[in-house]
Amino acid sequence: MSSNNSAQSSAASAEGPGLTLYGGEGTGRRVTVRDLARAKRAGERWPMLTAYDATIASVFDDAGIPVLLVGDSAGNNHLGYENTVPVTLDQLVMLTGAVVRGTKRALIVADLPFGSYQESPEQALRNGVRLLKEAGAGAVKLEGGQRSARQVEALVAAGVPVMAHLGLTPQSVHAFGGYRVQGRDAESAEQLIADAKTMQAAGAFALVLECVPEELAARVTDLLEIPTVGIGAGVQCDAQVLVWTDMAGMNTGHTAKFVKQYADLRAALGDAAKAFAGEVVGGVYPGPEHTFH
């Protein structure tokens, strides 16, 4: 074996067993942040979906989705709030625990909700640790660039992996005056690039880019050594994420331009409910095969 091959073999051994992120199996372990770093180096793209309960999480885990985000998007997609701002840390702990219990392979990333980390690095660390210790998350996610750098540094130094989030950051919806594409002018684009570099330097293992021009997302993806996760940021990002209720056609009303609906589960569930109700009203259900004697 050549010295070069020996070095490559040693490096692979140091990183542990590799895996194909999407649909991979046979490793007997969860996906880790090291796997995501390796995928970036290898040019392997991967999908991420949100999940808020054990049942849906188990479906996505069985489907091979390597990373599941327990997002504060639960606020307006699961808990009935108008936006993400009212979501509490206690709610995220409960939802994250359910997702963890429903999965075996996926890396579970939990959002730090609005008000749970902005105060100080100490607050961020205290609450990030809760998501790992009480809920079993493998990483946390928080929003913001330079303003969140000290929080990221404190979390990473304590052993809490952090996924950062730039562009349209939903927790800042009131400051933005609505859900608007970010980074369209030169000044804001350069600020986003600076914030992305800051998040990488602070120790973030990945960066979500939401609602930014494709060209800007491509620049950031090329500049960073950590993977970028796009949502409304074009195809050049290293990974893509969607809110599962958008992806599966469960939501009604306005749909963002970046959303692609891969199923119509709302219609399917509605039809199932109507069929059940019809059989109950008509005296068909329960039939003999569903009855004890």
Side-chain angles (χ1 to χ4, degrees), residues 150-167:
R150 291 175 59 239
Q151 283 87 333
V152 174
E153 289 171 351
L155 285 160
V156 172
V160 180
V162 178
M163 178 179 284
H165 187 156
L166 294 175

Side-chain angles (χ1 to χ4, degrees), residues 129-165:
V129 166
R130 278 196 66 191
L131 287 166
L132 267 63
K133 285 179 65 70
E134 297 179 31
V140 302
K141 182 173 75 66
L142 55 73
E143 297 180 0
Q146 180 61 46
R147 62 183 169 86
S148 299
R150 291 175 59 239
Q151 283 87 333
V152 174
E153 289 171 351
L155 285 160
V156 172
V160 180
V162 178
M163 178 179 284
H165 187 156

Side-chain angles (χ1 to χ4, degrees), residues 10-31:
S10 298
S13 298
E15 290 191 359
L19 77 168
T20 299
L21 286 180
Y22 169 64
E25 57 184 25
T27 61
R29 63 173 176 83
R30 286 189 182 270
V31 173

